[in-house]
């Protein structure tokens, strides 16, 4: 998604932002840094940008009302793209704003890096970009160095591992009217205290593209099969796995999703089809989001979702059976003599 092969880190500002709830404060740099050392420039780009190479979701800034400028980060980023001379001044304002919103007592203080990048690529196009990067986790390092008749050893505390970026975002100078293209990294996003980065500080919404549409409908269908079906029908686990496998086959083989075609080919049962469409409608109403009925399938989204479409039949703690094909070749029975359930597996040859 993001490539930095041709990029240049043109300017960098570093500030420290504490947690005011814990009676910490912020410390702002007086001026920005122009990183002239080529090796340091490359290391910083590796630290800041390499995590974004595997990011697929693209976001946009959102706002409280109708004016995007009510989003503080959108406004400050727009001013920098318009007038590069405001970069450091606005980086200070960004640090102050982060200090105000990151007020959960468990949010760690740390450095905030604000960088201006030239020729950063997203979706095949080169753009200038502004990046925010947060380092909260520090590590200790052993240093070994040559000295007379051997080697010496020392250590460095509170060092930063350049392979572990805690939080980051890149704002690309394109599609301003729609809220820019924004990509995000947040390694602590699953904890309740960490939602501030994307939701409060940046105020982002997912871009409604084919990646998101594919991901959404696959999520809805997976939840329908694994959670909803049992409420209406007596469904064997092997049948659920078969429904998931057939849906994955559909998404991998088709170029375009059509809900009627999908329902007829994958679910292939009138009651089940009606239940799925009702479930989809209920989901849309509950989460106030529209799941498209037709769209071009995103291969990247299918590849990502495939990890969650489990085709494993777990039998107590003794066996895991992977079902990839014809479910008619596996039969469930009950062995009265042993008083246990059992499965028959039919195959032509052992491998």
């Amino acid at each position: 998604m993001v490539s930095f092969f041709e990029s240049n880190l043109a300017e960098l500002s570093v500030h420290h932002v504490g947690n005011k709830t814990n009676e910490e404060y912020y410390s702002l740099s007086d001026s920005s840094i122009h990183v002239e050392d080529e090796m340091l420039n490359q290391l910083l780009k590796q630290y800041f940008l390499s995590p974004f190479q595997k990011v697929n979701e693209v976001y946009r800034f959102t706002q409280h009302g109708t004016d995007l400028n009510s989003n503080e980060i959108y406004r400050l980023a727009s001013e920098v793209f318009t007038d590069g001379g405001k970069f450091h001044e606005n980086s200070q304002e960004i640090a102050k704003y982060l200090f105000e919103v990151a007020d959960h007592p468990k949010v760690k203080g740390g450095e905030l890096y604000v960088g201006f990048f030239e020729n950063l690529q997203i979706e095949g196009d080169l753009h200038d970009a502004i990046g925010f990067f947060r380092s909260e986790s520090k590590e200790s390092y052993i240093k070994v160095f040559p000295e007379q008749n051997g080697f010496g050893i020392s250590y460095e505390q509170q060092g930063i591992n350049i392979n572990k970026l805690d939080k980051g975002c890149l704002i690309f100078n394109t599609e301003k009217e729609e809220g820019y293209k924004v990509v995000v990294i947040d390694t602590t996003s699953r904890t309740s205290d960490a939602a501030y980065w994307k939701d409060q500080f940046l105020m982002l919404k997912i871009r409604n593209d084919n990646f998101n549409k594919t991901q959404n409908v696959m999520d809805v269908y997976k939840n329908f099969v694994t959670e909803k079906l049992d409420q209406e029908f007596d469904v064997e686990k092997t049948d659920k796995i078969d429904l998931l496998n057939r849906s994955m086959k559909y998404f991998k083989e088709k170029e375009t999703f059509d809900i009627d075609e999908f329902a007829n080919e994958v679910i292939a049962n009138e009651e089940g089809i009606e239940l799925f469409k009702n479930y989809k409608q209920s989901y849309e109403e509950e989460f106030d989001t529209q799941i498209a009925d037709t769209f071009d399938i995103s291969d990247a989204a299918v590849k990502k979702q495939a990890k969650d479409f489990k085709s494993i039949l777990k039998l107590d703690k003794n066996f895991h059976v992977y079902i990839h094909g014809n479910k008619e070749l596996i039969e469930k029975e009950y062995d009265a003599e042993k008083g246990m359930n059992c499965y028959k597996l039919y195959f032509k040859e052992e491998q």
Side-chain angles (χ1 to χ4, degrees), residues 98-109:
L98 176 62
F99 177 76
E100 292 299 324
V101 300
D103 57 358
H104 191 287
K106 291 186 178 181
V107 172
K108 297 178 182 178

Side-chain angles (χ1 to χ4, degrees), residues 222-323:
K222 184 187 71 172
N223 292 337
F224 166 74
V225 170
T226 57
E227 298 174 11
K228 181 64 177 178
L229 275 180
D230 282 335
Q231 299 174 14
E232 304 292 334
F233 303 107
D234 184 16
V235 184
E236 296 286 351
K237 183 66 181 290
T238 52
D239 291 322
K240 288 185 178 182
I241 292 174
D242 181 59
L243 285 169
L244 291 177
N245 284 342
R246 285 159 62 181
S247 71
M248 185 56 63
K249 183 174 184 290
Y250 178 94
F251 282 105
K252 286 182 176 179
E253 292 181 353
K254 302 285 185 177
E255 294 184 355
T256 302
F257 175 83
D258 178 270
I259 190 168
D260 292 324
E261 178 188 66
F262 174 82
N264 291 326
E265 291 188 13
V266 175
I267 301 174
N269 174 281
E270 288 188 8
E271 287 184 88
I273 291 172
E274 183 179 0
L275 187 64
F276 171 62
K277 290 185 176 180
N278 290 337
Y279 180 80
K280 172 179 171 291
Q281 183 178 348
S282 299
Y283 180 94
E284 291 172 326
E285 293 171 355
E286 180 179 354
F287 294 98
D288 191 25
T289 185
Q290 187 69 29
I291 307 297
D293 289 339
T294 60
F295 54 84
D296 292 334
I297 293 173
S298 164
D299 292 337
V302 174
K303 184 176 180 180
K304 180 182 178 183
Q305 292 296 98
K307 300 174 184 178
D308 295 326
F309 276 57
K310 305 297 184 183
S311 58
I312 306 172
L313 183 64
K314 296 181 180 181
L315 308 178
D316 299 331
K317 295 183 179 180
N318 297 315
F319 305 102
H320 284 183
V321 180
Y322 292 79
I323 303 174

Side-chain angles (χ1 to χ4, degrees), residues 1-3 58 120-127 172 181 183:
M1 174 62 73
V2 175
S3 172
V58 178
L120 198 56
Q121 184 182 114
I122 183 171
E123 297 180 330
D125 297 319
L126 295 176
H127 301 284
F172 292 85
K181 289 183 181 180
V183 289

Side-chain angles (χ1 to χ4, degrees), residues 137-263:
S137 304
K138 302 295 177 65
E139 300 179 2
S140 297
Y141 292 91
I142 298 295
K143 295 195 296 185
V144 179
F145 52 89
E147 61 180 16
Q148 188 176 8
N149 300 322
F151 294 89
I153 298 178
S154 67
Y155 66 93
E156 182 174 335
Q157 292 180 310
Q158 298 297 302
I160 297 172
N161 186 337
I162 65 170
N163 295 311
K164 293 181 180 180
L165 179 65
D166 291 314
K167 292 179 174 64
C169 84
L170 293 171
I171 306 163
F172 292 85
N173 190 15
T174 181
E175 301 180 8
K176 176 182 178 180
E177 292 73 18
E178 288 79 38
Y180 292 118
K181 289 183 181 180
V182 185
V183 289
V184 179
I185 292 288
D186 188 352
T187 59
T188 57
S189 62
R190 297 190 180 189
T191 61
S192 60
D193 57 287
Y196 77 90
W197 184 253
K198 181 166 67 71
D199 298 335
Q200 296 171 259
F201 175 55
L202 298 170
M203 287 180 59
L204 298 174
K205 62 180 179 181
I206 194 75
R207 185 182 65 175
N208 192 28
D209 60 2
N210 288 328
F211 181 95
N212 187 49
K213 292 174 183 177
T214 304
Q215 182 172 259
N216 280 348
V217 79
M218 292 184 76
D219 274 337
V220 168
Y221 178 75
K222 184 187 71 172
N223 292 337
F224 166 74
V225 170
T226 57
E227 298 174 11
K228 181 64 177 178
L229 275 180
D230 282 335
Q231 299 174 14
E232 304 292 334
F233 303 107
D234 184 16
V235 184
E236 296 286 351
K237 183 66 181 290
T238 52
D239 291 322
K240 288 185 178 182
I241 292 174
D242 181 59
L243 285 169
L244 291 177
N245 284 342
R246 285 159 62 181
S247 71
M248 185 56 63
K249 183 174 184 290
Y250 178 94
F251 282 105
K252 286 182 176 179
E253 292 181 353
K254 302 285 185 177
E255 294 184 355
T256 302
F257 175 83
D258 178 270
I259 190 168
D260 292 324
E261 178 188 66
F262 174 82

Side-chain angles (χ1 to χ4, degrees), residues 54-171:
K54 296 182 179 180
V55 170
N56 290 298
E57 294 94 339
V58 178
Y59 292 82
R60 297 197 189 281
F61 285 112
T62 187
Q63 71 284 338
H64 292 299
T66 58
D67 184 7
L68 269 171
N69 284 299
S70 65
N71 183 314
E72 186 70 1
I73 300 302
Y74 173 88
R75 182 184 67 81
L76 292 168
S78 297
E79 288 184 1
V80 172
F81 286 135
T82 302
D83 181 1
K86 291 188 176 181
F87 172 79
H88 184 69
E89 175 188 344
N90 281 19
S91 77
Q92 294 175 322
E93 295 303 314
I94 289 164
K96 293 176 185 178
Y97 184 67
L98 176 62
F99 177 76
E100 292 299 324
V101 300
D103 57 358
H104 191 287
K106 291 186 178 181
V107 172
K108 297 178 182 178
E111 284 75 38
L112 173 70
Y113 307 88
V114 183
F116 189 89
F117 298 89
E118 299 168 331
N119 295 325
L120 198 56
Q121 184 182 114
I122 183 171
E123 297 180 330
D125 297 319
L126 295 176
H127 301 284
D128 289 341
I130 300 169
F132 309 150
F133 313 97
R134 183 92 156 124
S135 64
E136 300 170 344
S137 304
K138 302 295 177 65
E139 300 179 2
S140 297
Y141 292 91
I142 298 295
K143 295 195 296 185
V144 179
F145 52 89
E147 61 180 16
Q148 188 176 8
N149 300 322
F151 294 89
I153 298 178
S154 67
Y155 66 93
E156 182 174 335
Q157 292 180 310
Q158 298 297 302
I160 297 172
N161 186 337
I162 65 170
N163 295 311
K164 293 181 180 180
L165 179 65
D166 291 314
K167 292 179 174 64
C169 84
L170 293 171
I171 306 163

